[in-house]
Amino acid sequence: MTELERLIGAKREHFLEELKEFLRIPSISTLSERSADVQRAAEWVAAQLRAAGMAHVEIVPTAKHPVVYGEWLGAPERPTVLIYGHYDVQPAELEAGWQSDPFVPEVRDGNLYARGASDDKGQVYANIKAIQLLMETRGALPVNVKVLIEGEEEIGSPNLDGFIAAHKERLRADVVVVSDTAMQSLTQPSIVYGLRGLVYVELEVRGPERDLHSGGFGGVVHNPAQALCEIIAALHHPDGRVAVEGFYDKVRPLTAEERAIIAQTEVSEAEWRRLTGAPQPWGEAGYSLRERVGARPTLEINGLWGGFTGEGSKTVLPSKATAKISCRLVPDQDPYEIEALLRAQIAKLAPPTVRWELRALNHGYPALVPLDSAAMECAVTAYERGFGARPLFLREGGSIPVVATFTQTYGAPVLLVGYGLPDDGAHGPNEKFALECLYRGIHTSAILLEELGKRTPEALRRS
Ligand code: BES
Ligand code: MN
Ligand code: MN
């Protein structure tokens, strides 16, 4: 057993209690009434970074929620690592099916249950503790470290690109480390090398000036709710393909080589059933489940409303109906171009009997990270030692838009070294983080920094 492992073992209880503190703060970035809690979470992270020995820590306000930034630059010849994560979380209501209060963390069966446990507070915490342990055991870090923890990831990071552009030199690094994804399982770690991009829009369809009696006007006024459904239904072909003209034009085709890599992480139908509870898989013909999620673009209805939705019946012809729609994108699709294509398609589909408006809410670029970099070798070694198995490479369906920003800004490799598990329930009820993932995650993060410290900055930048 190494000194690090011994220390982590001795501090298990302490780590758990500290992480619980972090999880008790309801830092829900999308709810304005939670702004003070979001601020409190930023302060908590800043205090942790100071305790970990970072030389300079600040809370930088933005137009909405602050960015927490810390740095330790005491290894001049060594590589510089930028660690990114987010301290904000998705909303959570007890009534949505939580077995315990989402903001009163509880351990059951070796899992820590709370909103943000896995996405992303537990993983951020693991990285901070790795820094602290290295600092305590060695009196210095093996690399220069810059830590950037934002509070707006779950709302599409509206102020982060501006922050990075404004502090481009200050944030410059040879490699970027992000822990905000899941592994295959506790015994089969994986490194994410692909994330999808995103364009999120809201489509409002309006008909009559005000709600009408459906007896008096049904049959002579095109019902906006119906018109919206007609438009939405026409956005997919029967074989699951997205029916937006030009949608697939820039999609990089999958090579045989890549399909072989993806096949290694294929989900069985049984596993799919366990994770979803839905009766039968669905999706684009000609692609496996993992390919559909990781390597193909999609269009989803995220919400749909209009007319009467209360208890009982009300015979009304609603004046408007709205849908939230998002597309997950893959290289080389551009979120702004896809927004334009979607707008053009809706213009073609919308009947003259209604008016419509499409509002874009956010945009994020997809990302693909090269597998053969020196930095990636360090990540592989870290997982081998931290989790006891060679990691697989995985393309994920989720989005972390800043990953593309880091690549575009610095050309530095981004390592998506996540410690979550597929059944963590991120964004849903009963989100959890396995304690084993926490402890092994701390260990793996520490080894990763040590491994990166054995390389030269030039070697890491080359990919
Ligand atoms: N940690 C997730 C991203 C993620 C999810 C990566 C699953 C890999 C697998 C992140 O917190 C998230 O939820 N991102 C949002 C981004 C959006 C709000 C722009 C997402 O993917 O919906
Ligand atoms: Mn996340
Ligand atoms: Mn998330």
Side-chain angles (χ1 to χ4, degrees):
M1 196 190 271
T2 64
E3 168 74 355
L4 261 178
E5 284 172 291
R6 197 192 56 73
L7 262 176
I8 294 171
K11 290 185 177 223
R12 281 182 162 227
E13 272 311 301
H14 167 74
F15 291 151
L16 174 59
E17 288 314 309
E18 252 187 8
L19 176 55
K20 280 184 178 173
E21 239 177 69
F22 193 12
L23 293 170
R24 270 186 215 110
I25 309 172
S27 47
I28 305 166
S29 48
T30 199
L31 301 178
S32 42
E33 71 260 31
R34 290 293 176 202
S35 296
D37 294 308
V38 175
Q39 175 73 30
R40 226 163 22 100
E43 281 159 17
W44 193 91
V45 171
Q48 281 287 323
L49 288 174
R50 284 188 201 103
M54 303 298 280
H56 169 91
V57 177
E58 60 182 307
I59 299 175
V60 188
T62 74
K64 201 168 187 121
H65 302 308
V67 166
V68 182
Y69 178 69
E71 62 184 22
W72 183 90
L73 306 177
E77 305 296 308
R78 307 273 80 219
T80 299
V81 181
L82 175 62
I83 298 176
Y84 163 85
H86 62 95
Y87 66 80
D88 65 322
V89 299
Q90 288 273 328
E93 297 88 28
L94 192 58
E95 312 78 59
W98 285 80
Q99 279 180 42
S100 53
D101 189 316
F103 297 104
V104 182
E106 193 177 290
V107 175
R108 298 192 295 271
D109 277 343
N111 292 311
L112 177 56
Y113 287 86
R115 170 58 84 233
S118 172
D119 184 11
D120 182 31
K121 287 175 171 173
Q123 303 196 51
V124 163
Y125 180 74
N127 277 275
I128 298 176
K129 288 302 116 169
I131 294 171
Q132 186 165 5
L133 284 176
L134 288 174
M135 204 66 112
E136 283 171 5
T137 51
R138 310 164 55 128
L141 297 178
V143 289
N144 298 293
V145 170
K146 300 178 175 180
V147 184
L148 170 60
I149 312 294
E150 72 156 318
E152 300 184 336
E153 197 278 342
E154 299 292 8
I155 52 171
S157 306
N159 296 297
L160 194 60
D161 281 1
F163 178 85
I164 293 170
H167 301 90
K168 187 172 169 189
E169 287 316 310
R170 178 122 212 220
L171 297 173
R172 185 177 289 283
D174 303 305
V175 54
V176 181
V177 169
V178 179
S179 297
D180 191 19
T181 50
M183 309 179 295
Q184 287 282 90
S185 72
L186 251 181
T187 50
Q188 180 54 73
S190 45
I191 300 176
V192 171
Y193 72 98
L195 288 168
R196 290 194 292 184
L198 185 85
V199 54
Y200 202 117
V201 301
E202 201 170 277
L203 172 61
E204 186 178 293
V205 172
R206 279 171 284 120
E209 262 172 18
R210 65 197 83 83
D211 286 3
L212 301 170
H213 193 295
S214 66
F217 294 93
V220 294
V221 171
H222 196 171
N223 186 319
Q226 181 186 334
L228 177 63
C229 291
E230 286 162 356
I231 294 169
I232 283 175
L235 293 176
H236 281 97
H237 293 296
D239 66 356
R241 277 170 64 87
V242 176
V244 171
E245 236 178 275
F247 189 76
Y248 294 97
D249 284 2
K250 292 204 170 166
V251 172
R252 231 185 271 174
L254 278 174
T255 62
E257 216 181 326
E258 213 186 345
R259 292 190 103 156
I261 296 175
I262 296 175
Q264 296 186 328
T265 58
E266 198 46 70
V267 265
S268 68
E269 245 185 82
E271 175 66 356
W272 176 93
R273 220 170 291 276
R274 189 179 77 84
L275 290 171
T276 66
Q280 238 179 68
W282 176 90
E284 190 184 0
Y287 294 92
S288 71
L289 296 179
R290 180 60 85 183
E291 286 172 343
R292 289 176 199 171
V293 162
R296 296 294 295 171
T298 57
L299 182 148
E300 304 292 329
I301 314 305
N302 301 108
L304 191 58
W305 70 98
F308 181 66
T309 55
E311 188 186 341
S313 56
K314 178 185 181 192
T315 44
V316 66
L317 198 159
S319 69
K320 64 175 188 175
T322 313
K324 302 255 189 195
I325 304 171
S326 61
C327 296
R328 295 280 174 175
L329 310 176
V330 300
D332 297 305
Q333 287 177 301
D334 179 305
Y336 295 92
E337 283 173 20
I338 295 296
E339 180 200 334
L341 294 176
L342 185 55
R343 191 178 293 280
Q345 190 69 36
I346 290 169
K348 264 190 245 169
L349 291 170
T353 46
V354 294
R355 298 179 187 88
W356 61 277
E357 194 187 334
L358 189 74
R359 295 181 285 264
L361 301 183
N362 54 59
H363 303 83
Y365 284 84
L368 264 185
V369 182
L371 296 179
D372 54 2
S373 65
M376 198 58 100
E377 281 173 24
C378 297
V380 168
T381 304
Y383 274 109
E384 276 173 347
R385 305 217 342 246
F387 284 85
R390 198 176 167 76
L392 294 174
F393 293 108
L394 182 66
R395 273 181 84 156
E396 264 291 8
S399 308
I400 309 175
V402 73
V403 170
T405 309
F406 285 138
T407 312
Q408 285 161 14
T409 311
Y410 301 114
V414 180
L415 300 175
L416 295 157
V417 286
Y419 305 124
L421 292 174
D423 64 355
D424 278 350
H427 297 201
N430 302 306
E431 177 179 351
K432 55 99 174 143
F433 194 42
L435 293 179
E436 204 57 34
C437 287
L438 171 62
Y439 305 132
R440 287 178 185 268
I442 296 172
H443 189 205
T444 304
S445 282
I447 299 169
L448 177 58
L449 294 178
E450 283 177 336
E451 288 300 314
L452 291 169
K454 293 177 187 166
R455 312 284 179 134
T456 65
E458 297 73 35
L460 290 181
R461 276 202 300 271
R462 244 179 282 127
S463 58

